[in-house]
Amino acid sequence: MNLNAAAASLENDPQTAAGRTVYVYEGPVRLWHWLNALCIMVLAASGYLIGSPLPSVTGEASANFLMGYIRFAHFAAAYIFAVGFLVRIYWAMVGNHHARQLFMLPVTDMKWWAGLIRELRWYLFLEKQPYKYVGHNPLGHMFMFLFVTVAAILMICTGFALYGEGMGLGSWQDRLFGWVIPLLGGSQATHSWHHLGMWGIVTFVILHVYAAVREDIMSRQTMISTMISGQRTFRE
């Protein structure tokens, strides 16, 4: 069966997926996923060191530019992260159904809420059998929306607002994001939101990796390899 046709046939009845392979994530989505993961690692590590600088470095202070390199890595990754997010928004408009899941929650769909509760019970080991989904399951869908879409907007807005302070009044960063700092109650409060956002994303990444490995094993469907090949295989 054609992979796209198979995916469409499973949308309304995912339980019929046993033993089948469907095409889920398009190339741009997969590329963005891994590039985003790399950016998050660089941003988290460099951001932590910016917030809690190293107490000292060897040699003469005038001969070291360690924090400068760390800040450069942070800013470079931030630009890639922000541009990637804009491209991802574009692909949500031109890509397939699964490319749009990241940016919307079907909160008026009672079936979606029922699935979310069922998935929560599954992760708490209260359900004996998994429910198959071609794309994100409802619980994963909600977490992806909150900790990827919403958190990315928070981090981009607060990050460029703080960057605009260094670039000065009149810079494009200040013109586009300068409103964020007074809205959040000042520079220190904006730093705090940016810092908390980082820890929220780091916590999500840990849970995301755990859930992907767990589902790959317990739900008998490919998860990690799907984000490499784009195809999801339902083993049973």
Side-chain angles (χ1 to χ4, degrees):
M1 177 182 291
N2 177 273
L3 293 180
N4 291 328
S9 70
L10 296 174
E11 287 299 318
N12 296 321
D13 188 12
Q15 290 300 84
T16 65
R20 298 167 74 175
T21 296
V22 295
Y23 187 67
V24 183
Y25 299 118
E26 299 163 302
V29 173
R30 305 196 306 274
L31 176 61
W32 171 81
H33 174 274
W34 295 112
L35 185 62
N36 209 44
L38 178 61
C39 286
I40 288 173
M41 287 192 293
V42 174
L43 286 166
S46 58
Y48 177 82
L49 291 173
I50 291 171
S52 303
L54 298 171
S56 63
V57 292
T58 59
E60 289 291 333
S62 60
N64 285 282
F65 193 65
L66 179 60
M67 288 305 301
Y69 290 129
I70 291 173
R71 285 171 63 82
F72 173 78
H74 192 77
F75 298 153
Y79 273 106
I80 296 172
F81 180 84
V83 172
F85 189 69
L86 292 177
V87 174
R88 183 65 179 82
I89 292 175
Y90 165 75
W91 196 258
M93 295 184 288
V94 301
N96 64 15
H97 162 71
H98 303 291
R100 293 188 287 274
Q101 276 191 304
L102 191 66
F103 296 97
M104 57 184 182
L105 291 179
V107 293
T108 60
D109 186 351
M110 292 299 102
K111 183 179 178 181
W112 183 83
W113 284 106
L116 188 149
I117 295 173
R118 182 175 55 246
E119 287 301 310
L120 182 60
R121 287 177 53 84
W122 165 248
Y123 281 103
L124 292 174
F125 299 96
L126 298 176
E127 292 283 344
K128 293 183 179 180
Q129 296 296 329
Y131 195 80
K132 309 287 188 178
Y133 288 92
V134 178
H136 294 301
N137 67 59
L139 186 63
H141 186 182
M142 182 185 72
F143 272 87
M144 292 291 288
F145 177 80
L146 293 176
F147 288 97
V148 177
T149 303
V150 176
I153 293 172
L154 171 68
M155 298 304 283
I156 290 171
C157 289
T158 55
F160 277 106
L162 295 170
Y163 190 53
E165 284 188 312
M167 297 302 291
L169 295 174
S171 64
W172 71 264
Q173 294 91 346
D174 175 67
R175 291 197 301 270
L176 288 180
F177 299 98
W179 55 271
V180 175
I181 293 178
L183 177 67
L184 295 180
S187 180
Q188 184 57 52
T190 304
H191 273 93
S192 296
W193 277 104
H194 196 67
H195 198 73
L196 287 172
M198 178 197 75
W199 283 114
I201 292 174
V202 168
T203 302
F204 163 76
V205 168
I206 295 171
L207 293 174
H208 179 61
V209 172
Y210 161 74
V213 174
R214 179 185 187 272
E215 289 302 282
D216 214 312
I217 298 170
M218 296 186 65
S219 291
R220 306 300 297 162
Q221 56 185 308
T222 57
M223 301 295 290
I224 300 172
S225 62
T226 297
M227 200 47 74
I228 298 174
S229 67
Q231 299 179 15
R232 172 155 294 151
T233 298
F234 298 91
R235 303 187 186 97
E236 297 175 2

